[in-house]
Each structure stands twice: as structure tokens, then as C-alpha cells.
């Protein structure tokens, strides 16, 4: 089993900042990529940012405002969100592409999500 646990969501005013963290644990042989998606009410889930051995990838709507980076704790990734806008309001989901020791397969795993609300 592989678990992803997100933290750091909350309520922030427009123009403010939040930092999300995601920690992967469990039966992990290797992690190929970690990233963040978001889903607003009535909308499809969309990629926000992703980091892998190939580098980083950002959605156009967060370029220059959000930064994804690994942290010193193993299997943990952070998403620094600056200059937040009301349209950034959504549930943010962490995802990881993991080679599991249990299954010996590479699969995508998801966290339960953390709410980010940008409002005055």
C-alpha cells in the first residue's frame, strides 16, 4: 500500500500565499514523479504542477506564481502558491507515480485532497 498525505490548505485572501506539502509513505521502491492537481466545483480535475527526474511542469495559469519542489524529507514534495486568486479556489490533490514493493508495478496514487479557498 502507498499513502499520500497532504497538508497546508486553508483560507487566504487574494494576493496571499499558501504552502502545500505532500508526503508519500508505504510500500515504495521508487517514485518517478510527484505532482498536484486541482478540482473546482463543477469543473474537471486539472494538472497544476509536476516534478520528476525530467524536471518540472506547470500549467499556464500558475506559471510565475506557483513553485513545486522536493523537500529535505524523503518522498515529500511542496507546492508554494503565491499571488493567489479567487479562481485558484479548489480542492488540491497530490499524486505520485510509484513503483510499489507490494505489486512490483508502477501505478499512480492519489491523496484525499486539501481545500484551498481564496476569498476576501
Amino acid at each position: 500500500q502507498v499513502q499520500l498525505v497532504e497538508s497546508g490548505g486553508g483560507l487566504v485572501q487574494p494576493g496571499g500565499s499558501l504552502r502545500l506539502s505532500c508526503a508519500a509513505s508505504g510500500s515504495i521502491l521508487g517514485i518517478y514523479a510527484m505532482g498536484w492537481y486541482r478540482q473546482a466545483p463543477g469543473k474537471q480535475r486539472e494538472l497544476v504542477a509536476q516534478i520528476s527526474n525530467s524536471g518540472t511542469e506547470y500549467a499556464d495559469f500558475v506559471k510565475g506564481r506557483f513553485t513545486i519542489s522536493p523537500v529535505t524529507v524523503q518522498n515529500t514534495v511542496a507546492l508554494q502558491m503565491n499571488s493567489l486568486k479567487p479562481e485558484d479556489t479548489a480542492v488540491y490533490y497530490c499524486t505520485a507515480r510509484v513503483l510499489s514493493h507490494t505489486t512490483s508495478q508502477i501505478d499512480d496514487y492519489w491523496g484525499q485532497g486539501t481545500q484551498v479557498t481564496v476569498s476576501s
Side-chain angles (χ1 to χ4, degrees):
Q1 289 281 11
V2 175
Q3 299 84 35
L4 301 180
V5 178
E6 303 116 329
S7 61
L11 172 64
V12 64
Q13 292 186 343
S17 299
L18 280 175
R19 181 179 174 89
L20 305 182
S21 293
C22 174
S25 63
S27 180
I28 298 173
L29 277 178
I31 297 180
Y32 294 86
M34 293 188 75
W36 294 89
Y37 281 68
R38 71 185 189 186
Q39 187 167 20
K43 295 187 177 181
Q44 290 188 334
R45 192 172 295 189
E46 58 186 358
L47 174 69
V48 175
Q50 180 172 279
I51 187 168
S52 68
N53 289 336
S54 300
T56 57
E57 177 185 356
Y58 294 95
D60 287 342
F61 53 77
V62 302
K63 284 182 180 178
R65 300 189 298 125
F66 292 10
T67 303
I68 188 170
S69 60
V71 295
T72 55
V73 176
Q74 191 176 8
N75 298 339
T76 301
V77 68
L79 183 70
Q80 179 66 41
M81 305 186 294
N82 299 327
S83 302
L84 283 161
K85 306 175 182 179
E87 51 264 43
D88 293 319
T89 296
V91 178
Y92 284 69
Y93 296 91
C94 177
T95 182
R97 181 156 293 175
V98 175
L99 173 60
S100 168
H101 181 273
T102 302
T103 64
S104 300
Q105 293 180 342
I106 300 173
D107 290 302
D108 291 330
Y109 295 84
W110 294 84
Q112 292 192 337
T114 184
Q115 177 70 45
V116 172
T117 302
V118 185
S119 175
S120 56

